């Protein structure tokens, strides 16, 4: 095999291990999600070694998707961290073998405090599975490692099961994009989810005119506005919209008679509008759905406040 083929085979082995997880997702998964959903405290994830690394990521994913969670190393629990746990919490204990000594010594403390335990192991007959309230089976037939020693397929399966829990909890909580934004205020994603029309709209030198204006004059104003559109108003309220495309189609249709027509003859009388607090993500959805490049920002009286175009949303 070539070097690339070794890599491809590893990915195939791990993909197969993930698909093999599906038949193992039984009512224990449903009960675990319900337990975490009803949890009044936190989901505390714990594990040792590679399982600990994966556990830290699972805890981070849960926290960022609406389920308060953090990772605790079981070794630290023996030196004071057990004090952060209460019967209102749920402990997700991860061990591929289910026989990890550090975790098993940790279990009696949890049982004494009546803290429910969910085990995530590759061995349903293990001691960890036996002493847990629910068990999630993450067993794999073999590792992607050619020696069948290094945790590869098993850690991938663990990570996938953690993601499955997080996604199921998101769905049950009806977690929305704006909720996600509150947990991710930094970076490009958070910025897009939190930014509103008022933050990016153009609000000055807008091409505004009467619907009775002749198209020859309207062309000049649309060109000067450099937005590819013009807004028709009556008594300060939006009544229509014309675009470059409307003008081109009108020229093709009427040719020499084009200059005899007014804005009202070609304007869209119900243009897409939003209020100033509409999020950019929703504006992008509107543009994609209706195949338009701009929306008008108006107030409750249909007075024009600004214009948001496709380029304004590219933040």
């Amino acid at each position: 095999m070539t070097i690339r083929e070794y890599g491809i085979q590893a990915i195939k082995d791990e993909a197969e291990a993930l698909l093999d997880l599906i038949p193992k997702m039984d009512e224990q998964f449903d009960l675990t999600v319900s337990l975490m959903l009803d949890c009044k405290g936190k989901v505390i994830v714990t594990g040792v070694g590679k399982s600990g690394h994966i556990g830290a990521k699972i805890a981070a994913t849960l926290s960022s998707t609406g389920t308060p969670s953090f990772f605790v190393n079981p070794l630290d629990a023996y030196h004071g961290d057990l004090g952060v746990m209460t019967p209102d919490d749920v402990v997700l204990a991860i061990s591929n073998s289910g026989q990890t000594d550090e975790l098993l010594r940790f279990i009696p403390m949890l049982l004494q405090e009546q803290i429910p335990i969910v085990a995530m192991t590759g061995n349903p007959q293990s001691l960890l599975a036996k002493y847990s309230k629910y068990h999630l089976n993450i067993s794999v037939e073999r590792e992607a490692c050619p020696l069948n020693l290094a945790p590869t397929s098993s850690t991938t399966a663990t990570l996938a099961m953690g993601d499955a829990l997080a996604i199921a909890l998101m769905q049950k909580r009806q977690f929305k994009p704006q909720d996600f934004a509150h947990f991710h205020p930094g970076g490009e994603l958070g910025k897009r989810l939190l930014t509103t029309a008022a933050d990016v709209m153009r609000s000055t030198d807008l091409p505004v005119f009467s619907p009775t204006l002749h198209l020859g004059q309207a062309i000049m104003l649309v060109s000067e506005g450099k937005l590819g559109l013009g807004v028709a108003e009556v008594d300060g309220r939006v009544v229509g919209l014309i675009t470059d495309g409307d003008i081109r189609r009108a020229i093709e249709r009427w040719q020499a008679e084009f200059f005899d027509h007014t804005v009202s003859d070609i304007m869209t009388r119900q243009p897409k509008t939003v209020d100033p607090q509409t999020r950019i993500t929703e504006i992008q959805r509107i543009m994609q759905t209706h195949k338009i490049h701009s929306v008008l920002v108006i107030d409750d009286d249909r007075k024009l406040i600004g214009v948001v175009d496709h380029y304004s949303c590219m933040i």
Side-chain angles (χ1 to χ4, degrees):
M1 294 177 68
T2 66
I3 292 175
R4 186 180 304 172
E5 287 172 335
Y6 287 133
I8 291 172
Q9 187 59 50
I11 293 174
K12 286 182 176 179
D13 289 343
E14 295 199 5
E16 184 176 346
L18 290 183
L19 291 175
D20 288 343
L21 274 185
I22 296 175
K24 299 167 187 170
M25 294 178 66
D26 53 17
E27 69 280 356
Q28 294 284 298
F29 181 86
D30 302 337
L31 292 169
T32 295
V33 171
S34 295
L35 179 67
M36 292 182 175
L37 191 65
D38 294 336
C39 175
K40 294 181 174 59
K42 306 163 293 295
V43 174
I44 300 170
V45 186
T46 186
V48 178
K50 302 296 191 300
S51 293
H53 296 313
I54 298 298
K57 191 276 178 185
I58 291 174
T61 300
L62 288 170
S63 288
S64 69
T65 53
T67 300
S69 178
F70 63 86
F71 177 79
V72 170
N73 188 313
L75 298 177
D76 295 331
Y78 307 133
H79 301 284
D81 281 6
L82 186 63
V84 304
M85 303 181 190
T86 74
D88 288 334
D89 300 329
V90 173
V91 169
L92 176 62
I94 304 173
S95 168
N96 187 46
S97 68
Q99 301 291 136
T100 304
D101 182 62
E102 294 88 344
L103 276 182
L104 293 180
R105 288 192 286 124
F106 181 39
I107 297 303
M109 305 178 192
L110 300 177
L111 295 177
Q112 182 177 353
E113 297 297 323
Q114 297 184 319
I115 300 172
I117 306 167
V118 175
M120 189 183 291
T121 84
N123 182 4
Q125 307 307 316
S126 64
L127 287 175
L128 181 57
K130 177 181 177 181
Y131 287 108
S132 296
K133 186 177 181 70
Y134 302 124
H135 176 256
L136 301 175
N137 188 349
I138 52 168
S139 60
V140 298
E141 187 172 336
R142 61 173 289 109
E143 301 287 2
C145 166
L147 302 177
N148 196 30
L149 294 175
T152 45
S153 296
S154 59
T155 49
T156 301
T158 305
L159 183 61
M161 186 63 77
D163 286 343
L165 286 174
I167 297 306
L169 286 162
M170 284 180 69
Q171 295 283 12
K172 294 298 291 183
R173 294 185 193 281
Q174 298 183 331
F175 201 72
K176 300 291 192 303
Q178 53 267 33
D179 300 318
F180 195 87
H182 289 310
F183 292 99
H184 300 78
E188 180 182 349
L189 179 59
K191 186 176 181 182
R192 287 183 60 249
L193 289 170
L194 291 173
T195 301
T196 64
D199 297 321
V200 300
M201 68 184 183
R202 175 172 156 185
S203 57
T204 59
D205 300 323
L206 299 175
V208 176
F209 36 67
S210 166
T212 61
L213 186 70
H214 281 88
L215 290 177
Q217 296 171 287
I219 287 178
M220 299 299 295
L221 294 175
V222 169
S223 178
E224 291 172 4
K226 297 180 180 179
L227 284 172
L229 57 79
V231 182
E233 289 186 345
V234 172
D235 296 329
R237 291 178 173 81
V238 174
V239 295
L241 172 76
I242 64 171
T243 66
D244 285 339
D246 295 327
I247 293 172
R248 287 195 301 273
R249 286 186 290 273
I251 292 174
E252 292 173 359
R253 178 183 177 185
W254 291 315
Q255 297 184 19
E257 297 177 358
F258 170 81
F259 294 98
D260 297 330
H261 290 271
T262 64
V263 168
S264 63
D265 293 329
I266 66 169
M267 70 182 187
T268 298
R269 297 179 183 276
Q270 294 293 330
K272 298 302 175 185
T273 61
V274 298
D275 66 61
Q277 298 308 309
T278 303
R279 298 183 189 278
I280 290 301
T281 49
E282 172 61 14
I283 292 175
Q284 289 177 315
R285 186 196 66 78
I286 293 172
M287 290 181 182
Q288 292 169 0
T289 301
H290 298 282
K291 296 180 173 56
I292 56 178
H293 67 80
S294 301
V295 297
L296 306 182
V297 185
I298 62 173
D299 63 15
D300 294 338
D301 293 324
R302 291 195 64 81
K303 292 184 178 181
L304 183 66
I305 301 174
V307 175
V308 177
D309 64 14
H310 170 75
Y311 299 103
S312 302
C313 298
M314 298 174 65
I315 57 175

